[in-house]
Amino acid sequence: NLKQINSKMNFKNLHLAITSGSLLIVGFAYGICPNRILPFLLHDKITGNDLYNVFKAMMALYIGMSIYWIFGIIKPEHWINATLTCTIFMGSLATGRIISIVIDGMPSPLIVLGTVLELLFMIWGIYNLKYDTIR
């Protein structure tokens, strides 16, 4: 049934769309002006060119991954790989944050929220990959 296929495609793509949009916002927040945005968001002062460089590199990585995930929406033949990389990416971020929570202690509520969202995006990606029947 074409209607069922269309609704499944929309649900599958919603994962990549929301994750891409979220990551683009975070990436730009990290990289455009880290000396202004990060202290506001994270309550930490960022100083030194090395840290600016790291955050701008993270911005470019986030933007690059988001572009590929959007490409996976536009080109269905890339959907599986886009969803797989999105799922691994989000799971890796969440894992790193959980390791930090265990070793370093609780971060700010904003970082905790980010960790929860990363876990949810990972789980949603696993669900989509597991139950995808349109190949």
Side-chain angles (χ1 to χ4, degrees):
N1 183 331
L2 188 58
K3 196 172 196 174
Q4 287 176 324
I5 291 171
N6 199 20
S7 70
K8 180 160 178 61
M9 290 299 288
N10 289 336
F11 182 74
K12 286 174 24 171
N13 290 336
L14 186 61
H15 169 254
L16 291 175
I18 291 174
T19 308
S20 296
S22 301
L23 203 65
L24 283 170
I25 292 167
V26 171
F28 283 120
Y30 279 175
I32 287 181
C33 196
N35 57 332
R36 289 189 185 168
I37 294 173
L38 293 174
F40 173 75
L41 293 175
L42 305 177
H43 309 291
D44 279 328
K45 189 173 183 180
I46 305 299
T47 59
N49 286 340
D50 289 346
L51 281 176
Y52 292 147
N53 186 281
V54 167
F55 280 106
K56 284 186 175 38
M58 287 174 57
M59 174 185 68
L61 172 64
Y62 284 19
I63 291 168
M65 294 307 299
S66 295
I67 288 169
Y68 182 64
W69 302 338
I70 293 166
F71 187 72
I73 294 169
I74 296 167
K75 298 286 187 181
E77 62 270 21
H78 287 271
W79 180 86
I80 290 173
N81 288 334
T83 301
L84 182 60
T85 59
C86 180
T87 302
I88 292 169
F89 190 92
M90 288 296 145
S92 298
L93 288 175
T95 300
R97 293 187 197 280
I98 291 167
I99 290 169
S100 178
I101 289 169
V102 169
I103 294 172
D104 305 320
M106 286 300 288
S108 69
L110 188 61
I111 298 296
V112 173
L113 174 63
T115 305
V116 170
L117 290 173
E118 290 157 358
L119 284 169
L120 291 174
F121 286 141
M122 178 195 71
I123 292 166
W124 190 0
I126 291 169
Y127 173 87
N128 282 347
L129 288 167
K130 184 174 180 180
Y131 293 104
D132 171 43
T133 57
I134 302 170
R135 296 189 189 245

